[in-house]
């Protein structure tokens, strides 16, 4: 067994080395091809000289290449030459280059936004690729802002794209949003949303906010100020900021994530495209009645429906956007939102060490009982209650994707009433350990604690939990078990 583990580790290391070499080869080939490519100026590098008796007059500030490139949107009366000039002269920040940020940034770059800043501290994972369309298999484990920058430069080499490979904090956020015409909130956590909401309110920068989870997406515009738009009739109008609509953070149990709840790839794609459209309308000077100011668009992919709901109006006493003495400064948003670490870094510790079992020890434990089962089969014994029970508390869909052979599924969100009583009966009937497991080892501890509180003192010693969950099982025991 030890030799098998060693060989598998060596093979995995060789695969990683080969992948790194392949990436380096691709980069070198691209660099060589770029150096060999001739860049022809369409005006000064004509193959022959022509004599003109008249000169061409370009209306506006756009050069020839820009008119040709963006002509299809310039032809729209709603955009026109002036609208395109504003687009090309604007600066937009995209915070989060994931499922929302990728399509949003792609369309902003294609439309000609002159300066785009991409903010993301995360790295590309294989589970991102079904929806984060600027990243490819070649970009795995590279920084998302850098990967997206390379992709956008292939879409439009005429614009300036700046990757910002770091986490936004109270120390650096103002320097970012104060220099932008629009900020797109494409983040995936509540703390960042409050940070951006307060910073944009303070900097008087429009915030286009999008979100997507499961089969539903949402879009709205915060911190709009008519005084910054000469096309407005009523320059005193001010839209609500993020804190006007959400004065206090939601409870942690009400906040979902794509990694825990899933998301259909086209849903963030749809919302990201709409975020780009709203950002373009803002920089072109559309009045607030034509923007998602004070309204929220809700998209449901399950029945392909769109509906618009009215949001709370701006609160004159809001601590973020008011001009009164009640105004507050930026704060500790992780603490304010009671937000713990990211899901992959967070670990509950609800059970004592003696009731937690490592993946390696569980594998040994199961092998021993498998041999015991073989012995009992030969002796024609059929008491299954003498063998360990593996209880997988992930959702039914996760369990259908992959599971340890012989386990039973009791989803944690259904662990009450008759379902809980059924599980308690199984635990009481067992003469051996009952081992709870989930993806990362947090839900399994919660489920185990629920059972311990209800099963009776004489049965508590049977209840155990797989430390680190099925991720640790895949890392140390079964390398073919999917990690998601």
């Amino acid at each position: 067994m030890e030799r098998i583990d060693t060989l598998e580790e060596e093979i995995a290391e060789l695969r990683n080395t080969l992948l790194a070499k392949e990436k380096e080869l691709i980069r070198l080939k691209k660099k060589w091809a770029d150096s060999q490519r001739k860049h022809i100026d369409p005006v000064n590098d004509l193959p022959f000289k022509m004599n003109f008796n008249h000169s061409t007059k370009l209306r506006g500030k756009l050069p020839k290449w820009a008119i040709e490139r963006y002509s299809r949107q310039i032809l729209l009366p709603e955009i026109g030459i002036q609208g395109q000039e504003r687009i090309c002269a604007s600066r937009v920040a995209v915070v989060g280059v994931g499922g929302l940020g990728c399509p949003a940034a792609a369309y902003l770059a294609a439309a000609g936004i002159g300066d785009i800043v991409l903010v993301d501290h995360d790295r590309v994972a294989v589970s991102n690729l079904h929806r984060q369309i600027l990243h490819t298999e070649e970009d795995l484990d590279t920084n998302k802002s850098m990967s997206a920058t390379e992709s956008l430069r292939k879409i439009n080499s005429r614009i300036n794209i700046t990757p910002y490979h770091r986490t936004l904090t109270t120390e650096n956020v103002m320097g970012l949003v104060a220099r932008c015409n629009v900020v797109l909130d494409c983040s995936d956590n509540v703390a960042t949303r409050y940070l951006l909401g307060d910073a944009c309110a303070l900097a008087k920068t429009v915030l286009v906010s999008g979100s997507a989870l499961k089969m539903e997406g949402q879009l709205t515009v915060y911190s709009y100020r008519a005084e910054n738009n000469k096309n407005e009739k009523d320059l005193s109008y001010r839209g609500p900021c993020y804190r006007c609509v959400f004065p206090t953070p939601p409870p942690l149990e009400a906040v979902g994530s794509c990694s825990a709840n899933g998301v259909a790839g086209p849903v963030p794609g749809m919302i990201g495209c709409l975020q780009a459209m709203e950002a373009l309308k803002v920089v072109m000077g559309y009045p607030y009645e034509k923007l998602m100011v004070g309204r929220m668009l809700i998209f449901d992919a399950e029945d392909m429906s769109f509906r618009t709901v009215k949001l709370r109006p701006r609160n004159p006493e809001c601590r973020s956007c008011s001009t009164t003495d009640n105004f507050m400064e930026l704060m500790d948003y992780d603490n304010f939102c009671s937000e713990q670490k990211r899901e992959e870094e967070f670990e509950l510790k609800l059970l004592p060490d003696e009731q937690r079992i490592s993946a390696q020890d569980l594998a040994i434990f199961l092998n021993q009982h498998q041999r015991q089962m073989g012995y009992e089969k030969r002796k024609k014994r059929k008491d299954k209650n003498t063998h360990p029970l593996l209880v997988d508390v992930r959702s039914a869909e996760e369990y259908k994707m992959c599971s340890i052979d012989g386990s039973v599924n009791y989803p944690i969100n259904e662990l009450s009433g008759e379902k809980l009583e059924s599980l308690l009966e199984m635990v009481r009937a067992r003469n051996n350990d009952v081992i709870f497991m989930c993806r990362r080892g947090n839900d399994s501890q919660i489920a185990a604690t629920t059972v311990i509180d209800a099963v009776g003192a004489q049965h508590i010693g049977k209840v155990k939990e797989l430390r680190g969950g099925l991720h640790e099982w895949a890392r140390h025991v079964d390398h073919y078990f999917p990690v998601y």
Side-chain angles (χ1 to χ4, degrees), residues 430-446:
R430 289 279 154 175
N431 296 323
N432 212 319
D433 289 341
V434 178
I435 302 167
F436 289 81
M437 59 186 63
C438 65
R439 188 160 57 131
R440 289 195 172 98
N442 291 329
D443 286 346
S444 55
Q445 290 188 70
I446 297 173

Side-chain angles (χ1 to χ4, degrees), residues 227-263:
E227 63 196 61
N228 296 329
N229 184 1
K230 295 179 180 179
N231 295 330
E232 291 284 9
K233 296 178 181 178
D234 180 10
L235 296 180
S236 65
Y237 177 81
R238 292 169 65 181
C241 73
Y242 184 77
R243 197 180 287 268
C244 289
V245 179
F246 302 104
T248 57
L252 287 177
E253 59 270 19
V255 180
S257 67
C258 293
S259 61
N261 301 100
V263 62

